[in-house]
Amino acid sequence: MKSKSTFALILTAAGSSVRMGLGLKKEFLPMQDGTVLSTAIKSFLKTNGLTHIIITYPDGQLEDMKKALFSSSETEQLLSQCGIPLLFEKGGATRQESVFNALNALAAGCAQKPELVLIHDAARPWVTETVIQNVLECAGEYGAAVPSTPATDTLAFTDESKEIITGYADRPHTFCLQTPQGFRFNELLEAHRKAAADKNTSCTDDTTIWAAYCGPVHLCEGNARNKKITFKEDIQTEAAMQIRTGLGYDLHKLVEGRKLMLGGVAIPFEKGEDGHSDGDVLLHAITDALLGAAGIADIGELFPPSDNTWKDADSGKLLQAAWQKVLADGWKLENLDCVVALEKPKFLPYRTQVRESIAALLGCDTDKVFVKAKTSEGLGEIGRGEAAAVWATCLISRPFRNNQE
Ligand code: MG
């Protein structure tokens, strides 16, 4: 059952992010699409019943806040489609003060007050529509709701030194609280007014205000992925790297009077690959895998057989020229894995030398390159020793660039 309640969203982003150690507000950090802030708001914009949005910001950072919000074209489009009023409210000295400012601005700014208000940390970009629905339903029924997950680590209390354990939390009854926290709008506003009148500034979040002035807060189901970004490591692994795979294939005829070249190594044999260049079937497949992963070109486009420059060319030079183009786009090799289909000769005695040769051409560690050979059990042109074929796959990575793709 989907909630039919109307709700306002308060996105809190007025903190200073001192724990990040980055010199940049965590809400402004780049993610796959835009920033942490532009990502955090998306699931709310897709939820029915939203009537108002208010974002709290630190003094002096309104322009940066708007830039971060509109850094994603999807967010910009969702905002213009839904046509919901968007307000920015300067934060106070504490979270409690910032939320109180936002509630007052909402009360003053809307003719028809929403039934519920959801308060969400803008530094939780991975909130899902399901979690939002859980909160709306639970707050609609009980007045106050917070998404939570059961504690998985053992939680301990310490003495003043913070070095000696004095007790443990009872784990079956211990939960980690997330946001959005949801409340009946009018009652939460009233609770904040009372707390302000009482000069009660000890409330770390809105559930403690609700508990002090209104009554019990109900738990609903959160999501372990709905993490708050606190340290830069929280975002590095999730959003900072872009990865791509590539696949290359090549086949060459084996004829007498040519060298058998595999991975830049000449392997003693009575036949070798026919071809315009030196015919190194393994290096050709690798070149195509890398170029394909980076989305640049294929080997035939870069080094056309019709161009006499490449006649009898060293395929190692072709690979290096292609790899330079991939490197120039910021990519780094994670690994390369290849299968050589070859009836004769036995490949295993040359494997180490071939892996080292490829790694040297690419300027990477040998353990990132693997090559294995298979026979075709005497079947087909490969089985009859008339051809050699290679399949190569690779994984490449680079840091995400903002506003790219
Ligand atoms: Mg070829």
Side-chain angles (χ1 to χ4, degrees):
M1 188 197 82
K2 285 202 168 175
S3 162
K4 297 211 168 55
S5 304
T6 56
F7 72 100
L9 169 67
I10 297 175
L11 265 184
T12 59
S16 63
S17 304
V18 282
R19 276 179 289 184
M20 289 292 285
L22 275 181
L24 183 68
K25 253 181 90 56
K26 54 194 173 187
E27 292 83 357
F28 299 166
L29 290 172
M31 286 190 68
Q32 196 154 346
D33 180 39
T35 56
V36 170
L37 179 66
S38 70
T39 306
I41 200 172
K42 267 189 220 177
S43 294
F44 293 94
L45 295 173
K46 294 172 185 168
T47 301
N48 287 331
L50 180 62
T51 58
H52 293 80
I53 302 162
I54 186 155
I55 301 176
T56 65
Y57 66 92
D59 195 8
Q61 296 202 31
L62 179 58
E63 284 316 305
D64 292 337
M65 196 61 80
K66 287 182 177 169
K67 218 169 94 190
L69 181 67
F70 292 110
S71 59
S72 149
S73 50
E74 193 196 349
T75 302
E76 198 170 0
Q77 210 179 346
L78 284 168
L79 275 165
S80 76
Q81 274 167 9
C82 69
I84 290 165
L86 173 64
L87 302 169
F88 290 88
E89 181 68 27
K90 195 156 69 181
T94 62
R95 180 195 162 92
Q96 185 181 338
E97 221 178 292
S98 298
V99 172
F100 189 33
N101 288 352
L103 289 168
N104 278 324
L106 273 170
C110 47
Q112 182 137 28
K113 297 212 182 64
E115 293 160 60
L116 302 174
V117 57
L118 264 50
I119 301 165
H120 185 63
D121 300 325
R124 287 186 196 265
W126 297 290
V127 60
T128 63
E129 289 166 70
T130 306
V131 169
I132 296 169
Q133 274 302 330
N134 293 347
V135 174
L136 287 172
E137 281 167 31
C138 189
E141 189 167 354
Y142 301 107
V146 56
S148 66
T149 54
T152 48
D153 292 327
T154 299
L155 303 179
F157 307 113
T158 69
D159 65 0
E160 278 299 303
S161 75
K162 299 186 182 174
E163 287 170 1
I164 309 285
I165 292 176
T166 56
Y168 294 92
D170 170 26
R171 200 161 70 188
H173 297 106
T174 303
F175 286 80
C176 301
L177 304 188
Q178 308 182 332
T179 72
Q181 301 183 348
F183 307 92
R184 281 196 203 109
F185 178 82
N186 286 330
E187 285 166 68
L188 184 69
L189 176 59
E190 204 45 47
H192 266 269
R193 282 179 180 152
K194 284 180 188 160
D198 291 351
K199 299 206 175 7
N200 176 352
T201 54
S202 64
C203 299
T204 50
D205 73 354
D206 301 280
T207 61
T208 52
I209 293 201
W210 186 273
Y213 297 95
C214 302
V217 176
H218 280 250
L219 295 184
C220 63
E221 196 178 339
N223 184 324
R225 290 256 306 138
N226 182 22
K227 281 195 307 184
K228 183 176 185 175
I229 295 170
T230 305
F231 303 101
K232 59 178 185 242
E233 292 76 15
D234 294 338
I235 198 166
Q236 261 167 359
T237 49
E238 305 248 12
M241 295 310 281
Q242 187 180 19
I243 59 167
R244 293 273 195 87
T245 68
L247 173 64
Y249 167 78
D250 199 18
L251 178 144
H252 278 243
K253 266 194 247 174
L254 294 177
V255 294
E256 284 173 12
R258 294 273 298 182
K259 279 188 189 164
L260 178 61
M261 296 298 298
L262 284 176
V265 177
I267 292 176
F269 190 51
E270 68 218 23
K271 293 183 189 174
E273 300 105 325
D274 198 10
H276 188 67
S277 64
D278 66 6
D280 194 320
V281 65
L282 177 53
L283 291 187
H284 294 179
I286 291 170
T287 305
D288 257 350
L290 295 168
L291 287 172
I296 293 175
D298 67 41
I299 189 170
E301 260 178 288
L302 281 190
F303 313 109
S306 56
D307 183 344
N308 259 337
T309 323
W310 315 115
K311 183 157 166 51
D312 296 322
D314 175 351
S315 298
K317 295 257 159 48
L318 306 190
L319 171 60
Q320 283 182 312
W323 182 231
Q324 283 310 316
K325 289 187 185 293
V326 179
L327 285 175
D329 276 355
W331 296 104
K332 165 175 150 269
L333 182 68
E334 294 298 334
N335 82 306
L336 183 65
D337 190 23
C338 312
V339 178
V340 180
L342 180 72
E343 205 66 15
K344 275 197 268 186
K346 281 210 179 313
F347 175 73
L348 199 54
Y350 303 97
R351 169 146 77 201
T352 304
Q353 201 187 337
V354 168
R355 289 178 67 195
E356 284 169 357
S357 163
I358 297 166
L361 287 168
L362 296 173
C364 71
D365 292 339
T366 309
D367 73 345
K368 290 188 169 182
V369 178
F370 202 81
V371 186
K372 54 216 170 263
K374 290 276 175 193
T375 72
S376 283
E377 305 268 343
L379 298 174
E381 61 272 26
I382 291 167
R384 289 191 298 272
E386 294 165 11
V390 172
W391 290 262
T393 68
C394 68
L395 188 75
I396 58 174
S397 68
R398 71 179 173 192
F400 241 106
R401 300 166 186 182
N402 208 3
N403 299 326
Q404 183 183 22
E405 293 178 81

